[in-house]
């Protein structure tokens, strides 16, 4: 009888060990998957070749995450109704910078799965209809027009000059507090998440 | 004002009174200079292209002048130019395909003479499409361009019915490959916007450009309020008319030799 009980307790020990191992492996797999997806998210933030070395968005990242829809809402009314075509908060600017290329050098639409716009909007279950009308890729192919890329970088750098003051004054003519190099220096010293 | 001033000066000189008019002239000159320096940017903007951050104003009113005598019956350079610019694709359904500009041939039933002309949104000063729009999506920009704000358009198509020129189209199909400067989408109404993206860059509309390069050079684009513009000079030298001028809409598109 005692021997039987001893055998049973050994079996129980093995069972517990197996359960522990299984749980450990599940935990490990979860951690691995999470780290991979985090890496995926961070790759969204990396700049494309098209941005010509511009590593900072038109506003600080946390502000963009919270308020990009408001920027776009105001910009659209200004552009359509009043013909104000500043580049800083234009949807075209978002697409131009955040679009990525596939291996063939073709643009991948920003609303395609896992791409810049779709990645977050799928995660947060927010459906947007911007791209039922608006173009999801830049008009000009990357390889075709280098001048266009330079123009974009130039306009971005110009618009970046007003990054700080936009929150202080609505008047676009009063911008110009921060210099582009200043922002780039800030950007390099702080993480972009 | 400039005509009256010398007369006043002459009167003062004759009566021997202090020449207040001259003094006023001087003050006016000083004030004018000060105003000019204060509003210097605005004066410069009138002469030069507007900056990106500046709103359009009613100082300009954009329009087209089309010479029907030059417009050939078999030419549709303006139509194809427009279709290419805005990527208006053939959906295989001619009845409902979007059409911002179309060619019309008008024949005189008495004489048999045929005139050809492009017909598009006439950019009325008092647009019926704006009157009937329930959401304010159909609107007239300050510089006279009548267009649709597709963000607020609900696709009711009242404007399509109200337009006497049949200038508006409704998008029935889901679209793709839109141009970044010309957003278009299913469920909204659209029409010629005089290539507003080009105008804001100080360029001519695509139809005018196509007419000049591939067509007969029958279209002139310009500012109707600027007396020195090509369109104003051409309009003043020869008679022009509006289509359905009986409606009193004061269209921005006018036709000559029609």
């Amino acid at each position: 009888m005692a021997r039987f009980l001893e055998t049973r307790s050994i079996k129980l020990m093995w069972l517990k060990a197996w359960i522990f191992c299984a749980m450990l492996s599940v935990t490990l797999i979860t951690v691995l998957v999470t780290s991979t997806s985090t890496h995926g998210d961070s790759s969204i933030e990396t700049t494309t070749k098209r941005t010509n070395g511009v590593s900072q968005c038109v506003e600080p990242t946390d502000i963009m995450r919270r308020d990009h829809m408001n920027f776009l809402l105001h910009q659209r009314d200004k552009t359509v109704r009043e013909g104000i075509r500043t580049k800083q908060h234009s949807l075209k600017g978002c697409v131009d910078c955040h679009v990525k290329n596939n291996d063939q050098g073709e643009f991948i639409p920003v609303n395609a799965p896992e791409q810049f716009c779709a990645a977050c909007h799928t995660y947060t279950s927010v459906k947007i209809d911007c791209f039922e009308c608006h173009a999801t890729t830049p008009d000009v192919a990357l390889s075709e027009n280098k001048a266009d890329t330079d123009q974009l970088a130039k306009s971005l750098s110009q618009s970046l000059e007003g990054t700080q003051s936009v929150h202080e004054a609505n008047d676009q003519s009063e911008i110009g507090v921060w210099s582009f190099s200043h922002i780039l220096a800030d950007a390099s010293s702080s993480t972009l998440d | 004002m400039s005509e009256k001033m010398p007369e006043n000066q002459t009167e003062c000189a004759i009566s021997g009174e202090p020449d207040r008019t001259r003094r006023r002239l001087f003050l006016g000159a000083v004030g004018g200079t000060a105003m000019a320096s204060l509003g210097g940017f605005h004066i410069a903007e009138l002469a030069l292209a507007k900056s990106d951050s500046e709103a359009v104003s009613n100082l300009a009113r954009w329009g087209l002048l089309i010479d029907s005598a030059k417009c050939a019956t078999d030419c549709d350079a303006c139509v194809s130019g427009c279709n290419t610019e805005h990527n208006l694709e053939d959906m295989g359904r001619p009845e409902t395909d979007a059409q911002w500009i179309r060619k019309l041939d008008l024949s005189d039933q008495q004489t048999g003479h045929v005139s050809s002309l492009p017909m598009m949104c006439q950019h009325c000063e008092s647009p019926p499409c704006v009157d009937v729009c329930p959401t304010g999506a159909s609107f007239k920009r300050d510089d006279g361009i009548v267009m649709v704000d597709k963000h607020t358009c609900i696709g009711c198509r009242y404007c399509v019915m109200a337009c006497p020129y049949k200038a508006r189209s409704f998008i029935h199909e889901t679209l793709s490959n839109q141009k970044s400067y010309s957003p278009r989408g299913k469920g909204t109404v659209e029409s010629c916007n005089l290539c507003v993206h080009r105008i804001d860059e100080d360029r001519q509309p695509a139809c005018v450009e196509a007419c000049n390069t591939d067509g007969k050079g029958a279209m002139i684009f310009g500012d109707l309020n600027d007396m020195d513009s090509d369109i104003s000079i051409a309009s003043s030298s020869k008679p022009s008319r509006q289509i359905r001028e009986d409606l009193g809409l004061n269209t921005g598109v006018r036709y000559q030799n029609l």
Side-chain angles (χ1 to χ4, degrees):
Chain A
M1 187 69 183
R3 196 175 171 187
F4 170 73
L5 282 175
E6 196 179 327
T7 322
R8 200 179 165 191
S9 65
I10 289 169
K11 277 185 181 173
L12 269 172
M13 259 183 66
W14 273 109
L15 190 68
K16 280 178 184 173
W18 272 112
I19 289 171
F20 177 74
C21 283
M23 286 177 71
L24 193 69
S25 56
V26 166
T27 316
L28 274 172
I29 289 167
T30 315
V31 167
L32 272 172
V33 167
T34 318
S35 66
T36 317
S37 65
T38 313
H39 176 73
D41 280 345
S42 66
S43 70
I44 290 168
E45 295 295 336
T46 57
T47 55
T48 59
K49 195 176 165 191
R50 192 175 170 78
T51 57
N52 217 9
V54 177
S55 55
Q56 167 85 358
C57 196
V58 293
E59 302 286 346
T61 306
D62 56 332
I63 292 174
M64 281 309 284
R65 285 190 173 160
R66 203 168 50 241
D67 290 330
H68 65 278
M69 67 296 284
N70 297 324
F71 293 142
L72 288 170
L73 189 71
H74 288 289
Q75 180 76 20
R76 79 169 203 199
D77 289 339
K78 280 183 178 175
T79 303
V80 177
R81 302 262 165 184
E82 298 171 41
I84 294 171
R85 291 182 182 268
T86 46
K87 305 279 186 297
Q88 187 167 6
H89 295 142
S90 81
L91 184 62
K92 189 169 178 280
C94 301
V95 173
D96 281 354
C97 251
H98 290 292
V99 73
K100 287 190 163 189
N101 313 304
N102 61 17
D103 296 338
Q104 287 78 45
E106 296 159 345
F107 290 124
I108 311 169
V110 286
N111 62 341
E114 304 296 322
Q115 290 303 304
F116 184 77
C117 293
C120 281
H121 279 273
T122 307
Y123 179 73
T124 52
S125 300
V126 177
K127 192 185 172 209
I128 51 170
D129 57 2
C130 308
F131 300 109
E132 287 179 25
C133 289
H134 285 277
T136 54
T137 53
D139 286 331
V140 186
L142 181 63
S143 55
E144 282 177 21
N145 197 346
K146 173 74 169 60
D148 191 50
T149 319
D150 295 341
Q151 174 78 25
L152 179 81
K154 196 180 161 193
S155 64
L156 254 180
S157 64
Q158 281 170 353
S159 62
L160 276 171
E161 286 174 9
T163 304
Q164 188 188 33
S165 59
V166 165
H167 306 294
E168 295 164 357
N170 289 327
D171 190 353
Q172 292 280 331
S173 62
E174 289 179 19
I175 63 177
V177 178
W178 279 10
S179 70
F180 180 44
S181 55
H182 187 160
I183 284 187
L184 281 185
D186 277 5
S188 58
S189 62
S190 63
T191 55
L192 290 174
D193 295 342
Chain B
M1 188 74 182
S2 57
E3 290 173 8
K4 284 182 181 175
M5 209 55 89
E7 289 175 20
N8 288 344
Q9 278 178 328
T10 323
E11 280 174 23
C12 290
I14 291 167
S15 61
E17 288 176 7
D19 194 350
R20 284 179 187 158
T21 323
R22 283 188 69 183
R23 192 175 163 208
R24 197 173 295 159
L25 249 182
F26 171 73
L27 284 174
V30 171
T33 317
M35 290 294 284
S37 58
L38 279 173
F41 286 110
H42 291 283
I43 290 168
E45 281 158 8
L46 278 181
L48 303 169
K50 100 177 172 59
S51 68
D52 281 347
S53 58
E54 194 197 349
V56 293
S57 74
N58 58 4
L59 292 168
R61 188 190 174 198
W62 302 113
L64 285 173
L65 182 68
I66 295 156
D67 190 344
S68 179
K70 288 184 187 169
C71 187
T73 313
D74 56 350
C75 176
D76 66 346
C78 52
V79 180
S80 48
C82 177
N83 290 352
T84 310
E85 178 76 7
H86 298 282
N87 206 19
L88 308 183
E89 290 173 335
D90 181 4
M91 292 291 174
R93 297 198 298 166
E95 296 87 359
T96 58
D97 277 352
Q99 194 178 44
W100 291 21
I101 178 168
R102 63 189 192 276
K103 279 299 296 290
L104 291 182
D105 290 335
L106 306 179
S107 61
D108 188 329
Q109 292 181 344
Q110 300 289 324
T111 62
H113 178 261
V114 178
S115 315
S116 189
L117 58 92
M119 171 59 67
M120 73 291 274
C121 172
Q122 302 286 296
H123 299 281
C124 313
E125 190 182 15
S126 321
C129 56
V130 174
D131 291 343
V132 300
C133 182
T135 65
S138 184
F139 73 104
K140 190 178 70 164
R141 225 168 69 145
D142 281 351
D143 54 3
I145 301 174
V146 177
M147 51 193 279
V148 181
D149 183 351
K150 290 163 191 174
H151 300 115
T152 40
C153 176
I154 55 170
C156 71
R157 287 164 271 180
Y158 281 10
C159 58
V160 178
M161 303 305 290
C163 177
Y165 305 102
K166 296 189 177 178
R168 291 224 156 151
S169 302
F170 180 76
I171 307 299
H172 293 262
E173 294 88 359
T174 304
L175 301 182
S176 56
N177 300 324
Q178 293 95 329
K179 301 282 187 185
S180 68
Y181 50 79
S182 181
R184 306 172 56 234
K186 180 180 177 178
T188 59
V189 169
E190 59 185 23
S191 62
C192 161
N193 54 19
L194 276 182
C195 285
V196 68
H197 62 284
R198 282 171 165 251
I199 291 176
D200 288 345
E201 289 177 354
D202 211 20
R203 292 158 63 206
Q204 294 206 321
C207 56
V208 178
E209 205 172 90
C211 187
N212 287 333
T213 54
D214 306 328
K216 315 288 180 189
M219 302 170 90
I220 301 174
F221 167 79
D223 179 6
L224 298 170
N225 287 347
D226 178 7
M227 288 302 119
D228 299 325
S229 65
D230 289 348
I231 190 168
S232 297
I233 292 166
S235 307
S236 60
S237 63
K238 275 165 72 178
S240 63
R241 57 184 295 192
Q242 310 167 42
I243 296 193
R244 288 302 305 273
E245 52 204 2
D246 55 310
L247 296 173
L249 301 174
N250 188 12
T251 60
V253 181
R254 285 171 165 269
Y255 296 84
Q256 281 182 336
N257 295 314
L258 191 63

